[in-house]
């Protein structure tokens, strides 16, 4: 049986075989079908060649393997924004998942969603990365995409105080509110 691969959640490839020693003659073929061990999670499953038969041949069946690889799953942090106020930012603004198969949802993930990146503890005006982290899966390769935290400048109005002086005197202290 030929070795095969597929990605978690995809349909099995056609199970095929090769005659690896000797040869079939007179247009003969083998009857029967290849089967594989049951299972859909990431791992290796035996492709069984023992059901292939033809009464004119002494067949040695060599099993193959079907390898199921992890499917890609992207976790993208949502953007967030706030106005400067001196309070440090922490956490995130949720995430969007892309790549679940078989109708699966976040309930198949291990770990705990958390946030890292330059946004954590940021308080000054600017742009910072919100990085999702912390999720695991035996059937998915989890990749993370940063979101952006934008801390905008706090608008303020500054008004100079009106001042007066007598001619020849020193200018008063200039002040504002």
């Amino acid at each position: 049986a030929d070795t095969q691969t597929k990605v978690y959640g995809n349909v099995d490839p056609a199970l095929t075989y090769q005659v690896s020693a000797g040869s079939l003659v007179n247009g003969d073929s083998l009857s029967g079908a290849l089967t594989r061990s049951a299972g859909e999670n990431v791992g290796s499953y035996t492709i069984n060649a023992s059901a292939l038969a033809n009464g004119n041949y002494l067949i040695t069946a060599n099993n193959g393997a079907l390898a199921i690889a992890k499917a890609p799953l992207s976790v993208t942090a949502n953007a967030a924004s706030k106005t400067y106020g001196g309070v440090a930012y922490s956490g995130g603004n949720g995430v969007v998942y892309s790549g679940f198969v078989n109708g699966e949802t976040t309930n198949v993930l291990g770990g705990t969603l958390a946030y890292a990146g330059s946004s954590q503890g940021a308080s000054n005006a600017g742009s910072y990365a919100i990085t999702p982290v912390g999720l695991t899966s035996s059937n998915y390769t989890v990749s993370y995409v940063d979101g952006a935290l934008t801390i905008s400048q706090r608008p303020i109005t500054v008004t100079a105080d009106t001042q007066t002086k007598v001619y020849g005197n020193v200018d008063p202290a200039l002040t504002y509110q």
Side-chain angles (χ1 to χ4, degrees), residues 5-34:
T5 61
K6 77 171 193 171
V7 173
Y8 174 74
N10 288 353
V11 176
D12 279 2
L15 301 180
T16 58
Y17 65 91
Q18 303 293 319
V19 175
S20 56
S23 62
L24 298 172
V25 295
N26 298 326
D28 287 345
S29 63
L30 301 178
S31 62
L34 298 171

Short mmCIF file of all heavy atoms in Angstrom, two decimals, residues 5-34:
data_model
loop_
_atom_site.label_atom_id
_atom_site.label_comp_id
_atom_site.label_asym_id
_atom_site.label_seq_id
_atom_site.Cartn_x
_atom_site.Cartn_y
_atom_site.Cartn_z
N THR A 5 -0.94 11.03 2.69
CA THR A 5 -1.07 12.08 3.71
C THR A 5 -2.33 12.89 3.43
O THR A 5 -2.82 12.94 2.30
CB THR A 5 0.14 13.04 3.70
OG1 THR A 5 0.23 13.67 2.43
CG2 THR A 5 1.44 12.33 4.02
N LYS A 6 -2.82 13.51 4.47
CA LYS A 6 -3.91 14.46 4.34
C LYS A 6 -3.84 15.41 5.52
O LYS A 6 -3.16 15.15 6.51
CB LYS A 6 -5.27 13.77 4.27
CG LYS A 6 -5.82 13.27 5.60
CD LYS A 6 -7.26 12.81 5.46
CE LYS A 6 -7.94 12.60 6.80
NZ LYS A 6 -9.37 12.37 6.67
N VAL A 7 -4.55 16.51 5.41
CA VAL A 7 -4.64 17.50 6.49
C VAL A 7 -5.93 17.23 7.26
O VAL A 7 -6.97 16.89 6.68
CB VAL A 7 -4.64 18.93 5.91
CG1 VAL A 7 -4.90 19.97 6.99
CG2 VAL A 7 -3.31 19.21 5.22
N TYR A 8 -5.86 17.37 8.57
CA TYR A 8 -7.01 17.17 9.45
C TYR A 8 -8.23 17.90 8.88
O TYR A 8 -8.16 19.06 8.49
CB TYR A 8 -6.69 17.70 10.85
CG TYR A 8 -7.86 17.68 11.79
CD1 TYR A 8 -8.31 16.48 12.33
CD2 TYR A 8 -8.51 18.84 12.15
CE1 TYR A 8 -9.39 16.44 13.19
CE2 TYR A 8 -9.59 18.82 13.02
CZ TYR A 8 -10.02 17.62 13.53
OH TYR A 8 -11.10 17.59 14.38
N GLY A 9 -9.34 17.19 8.81
CA GLY A 9 -10.59 17.76 8.32
C GLY A 9 -10.83 17.55 6.84
O GLY A 9 -11.95 17.72 6.37
N ASN A 10 -9.79 17.17 6.09
CA ASN A 10 -9.95 16.94 4.66
C ASN A 10 -10.42 15.50 4.42
O ASN A 10 -10.30 14.64 5.28
CB ASN A 10 -8.64 17.16 3.91
CG ASN A 10 -8.27 18.63 3.83
OD1 ASN A 10 -9.04 19.50 4.21
ND2 ASN A 10 -7.09 18.91 3.33
N VAL A 11 -10.90 15.26 3.22
CA VAL A 11 -11.33 13.93 2.80
C VAL A 11 -10.10 13.05 2.59
O VAL A 11 -9.05 13.54 2.16
CB VAL A 11 -12.15 14.04 1.48
CG1 VAL A 11 -12.53 12.67 0.95
CG2 VAL A 11 -13.37 14.90 1.70
N ASP A 12 -10.23 11.77 2.89
CA ASP A 12 -9.12 10.84 2.65
C ASP A 12 -8.73 10.84 1.18
O ASP A 12 -9.60 10.89 0.30
CB ASP A 12 -9.53 9.41 3.03
CG ASP A 12 -9.44 9.12 4.51
OD1 ASP A 12 -9.10 10.03 5.28
OD2 ASP A 12 -9.72 7.97 4.89
N PRO A 13 -7.44 10.74 0.89
CA PRO A 13 -7.02 10.57 -0.51
C PRO A 13 -7.38 9.15 -0.96
O PRO A 13 -7.67 8.28 -0.14
CB PRO A 13 -5.50 10.76 -0.43
CG PRO A 13 -5.15 10.35 0.96
CD PRO A 13 -6.32 10.74 1.82
N ALA A 14 -7.33 8.94 -2.26
CA ALA A 14 -7.54 7.59 -2.78
C ALA A 14 -6.44 6.68 -2.24
O ALA A 14 -5.27 7.07 -2.23
CB ALA A 14 -7.52 7.61 -4.30
N LEU A 15 -6.81 5.52 -1.76
CA LEU A 15 -5.83 4.55 -1.26
C LEU A 15 -5.36 3.73 -2.44
O LEU A 15 -6.15 3.09 -3.14
CB LEU A 15 -6.46 3.67 -0.17
CG LEU A 15 -7.01 4.42 1.05
CD1 LEU A 15 -7.60 3.44 2.06
CD2 LEU A 15 -5.94 5.28 1.70
N THR A 16 -4.06 3.75 -2.67
CA THR A 16 -3.48 3.10 -3.84
C THR A 16 -2.38 2.14 -3.43
O THR A 16 -1.94 2.16 -2.29
CB THR A 16 -2.89 4.17 -4.81
OG1 THR A 16 -1.92 4.93 -4.10
CG2 THR A 16 -3.98 5.10 -5.33
N TYR A 17 -1.96 1.30 -4.39
CA TYR A 17 -0.88 0.35 -4.12
C TYR A 17 -0.03 0.19 -5.36
O TYR A 17 -0.42 0.57 -6.46
CB TYR A 17 -1.44 -1.01 -3.66
CG TYR A 17 -2.25 -1.72 -4.73
CD1 TYR A 17 -1.64 -2.60 -5.61
CD2 TYR A 17 -3.62 -1.52 -4.84
CE1 TYR A 17 -2.36 -3.24 -6.59
CE2 TYR A 17 -4.36 -2.16 -5.82
CZ TYR A 17 -3.73 -3.03 -6.70
OH TYR A 17 -4.45 -3.66 -7.68
N GLN A 18 1.12 -0.39 -5.16
CA GLN A 18 2.04 -0.73 -6.24
C GLN A 18 2.43 -2.19 -6.06
O GLN A 18 2.54 -2.68 -4.94
CB GLN A 18 3.32 0.12 -6.16
CG GLN A 18 3.10 1.61 -6.16
CD GLN A 18 2.54 2.10 -7.49
OE1 GLN A 18 2.98 1.65 -8.55
NE2 GLN A 18 1.58 3.00 -7.42
N VAL A 19 2.67 -2.89 -7.17
CA VAL A 19 3.28 -4.21 -7.10
C VAL A 19 4.78 -3.93 -7.03
O VAL A 19 5.37 -3.43 -7.98
CB VAL A 19 2.92 -5.08 -8.32
CG1 VAL A 19 3.68 -6.40 -8.28
CG2 VAL A 19 1.42 -5.31 -8.38
N SER A 20 5.38 -4.19 -5.88
CA SER A 20 6.76 -3.76 -5.64
C SER A 20 7.79 -4.86 -5.92
O SER A 20 8.98 -4.57 -5.99
CB SER A 20 6.91 -3.25 -4.21
OG SER A 20 6.49 -4.24 -3.29
N ALA A 21 7.36 -6.10 -6.07
CA ALA A 21 8.29 -7.18 -6.42
C ALA A 21 7.52 -8.16 -7.32
O ALA A 21 6.38 -8.50 -7.03
CB ALA A 21 8.80 -7.90 -5.17
N GLY A 22 8.13 -8.60 -8.38
CA GLY A 22 7.44 -9.46 -9.34
C GLY A 22 6.53 -8.60 -10.20
O GLY A 22 6.60 -7.37 -10.19
N SER A 23 5.64 -9.27 -10.96
CA SER A 23 4.72 -8.50 -11.80
C SER A 23 3.49 -9.33 -12.11
O SER A 23 3.52 -10.56 -12.08
CB SER A 23 5.42 -8.07 -13.09
OG SER A 23 5.82 -9.22 -13.83
N LEU A 24 2.42 -8.65 -12.38
CA LEU A 24 1.20 -9.30 -12.85
C LEU A 24 1.36 -9.59 -14.34
O LEU A 24 2.01 -8.82 -15.05
CB LEU A 24 -0.01 -8.39 -12.62
CG LEU A 24 -0.32 -8.02 -11.16
CD1 LEU A 24 -1.41 -6.97 -11.09
CD2 LEU A 24 -0.72 -9.25 -10.37
N VAL A 25 0.80 -10.73 -14.81
CA VAL A 25 0.93 -11.10 -16.21
C VAL A 25 -0.44 -11.27 -16.83
O VAL A 25 -1.46 -11.37 -16.14
CB VAL A 25 1.77 -12.39 -16.39
CG1 VAL A 25 3.20 -12.17 -15.93
CG2 VAL A 25 1.14 -13.56 -15.66
N ASN A 26 -0.45 -11.37 -18.17
CA ASN A 26 -1.67 -11.64 -18.94
C ASN A 26 -2.80 -10.65 -18.63
O ASN A 26 -3.97 -11.01 -18.67
CB ASN A 26 -2.18 -13.07 -18.69
CG ASN A 26 -1.18 -14.12 -19.12
OD1 ASN A 26 -0.46 -13.92 -20.11
ND2 ASN A 26 -1.11 -15.22 -18.39
N GLY A 27 -2.46 -9.39 -18.28
CA GLY A 27 -3.50 -8.40 -18.00
C GLY A 27 -4.22 -8.64 -16.68
O GLY A 27 -5.32 -8.11 -16.47
N ASP A 28 -3.64 -9.48 -15.83
CA ASP A 28 -4.27 -9.77 -14.53
C ASP A 28 -4.34 -8.52 -13.66
O ASP A 28 -3.58 -7.56 -13.84
CB ASP A 28 -3.47 -10.85 -13.78
CG ASP A 28 -3.63 -12.24 -14.38
OD1 ASP A 28 -4.56 -12.43 -15.18
OD2 ASP A 28 -2.81 -13.12 -14.03
N SER A 29 -5.22 -8.56 -12.70
CA SER A 29 -5.32 -7.49 -11.71
C SER A 29 -5.64 -8.13 -10.36
O SER A 29 -5.93 -9.32 -10.28
CB SER A 29 -6.41 -6.49 -12.09
OG SER A 29 -7.67 -7.13 -12.13
N LEU A 30 -5.58 -7.33 -9.35
CA LEU A 30 -5.91 -7.81 -8.01
C LEU A 30 -7.31 -7.35 -7.66
O LEU A 30 -7.74 -6.25 -8.03
CB LEU A 30 -4.91 -7.24 -6.99
CG LEU A 30 -3.43 -7.60 -7.22
CD1 LEU A 30 -2.56 -6.94 -6.17
CD2 LEU A 30 -3.23 -9.11 -7.20
N SER A 31 -8.03 -8.19 -6.94
CA SER A 31 -9.36 -7.81 -6.48
C SER A 31 -9.25 -7.44 -4.99
O SER A 31 -8.25 -7.70 -4.34
CB SER A 31 -10.35 -8.95 -6.68
OG SER A 31 -9.95 -10.08 -5.91
N GLY A 32 -10.31 -6.88 -4.48
CA GLY A 32 -10.32 -6.46 -3.09
C GLY A 32 -10.00 -4.98 -2.98
O GLY A 32 -9.73 -4.31 -3.98
N ALA A 33 -10.06 -4.49 -1.78
CA ALA A 33 -9.86 -3.05 -1.58
C ALA A 33 -8.94 -2.81 -0.39
O ALA A 33 -8.91 -3.59 0.56
CB ALA A 33 -11.20 -2.38 -1.33
N LEU A 34 -8.20 -1.73 -0.50
CA LEU A 34 -7.40 -1.28 0.63
C LEU A 34 -8.32 -0.63 1.66
O LEU A 34 -9.30 0.02 1.30
CB LEU A 34 -6.36 -0.24 0.17
CG LEU A 34 -5.33 -0.71 -0.85
CD1 LEU A 34 -4.53 0.47 -1.38
CD2 LEU A 34 -4.41 -1.74 -0.23
#
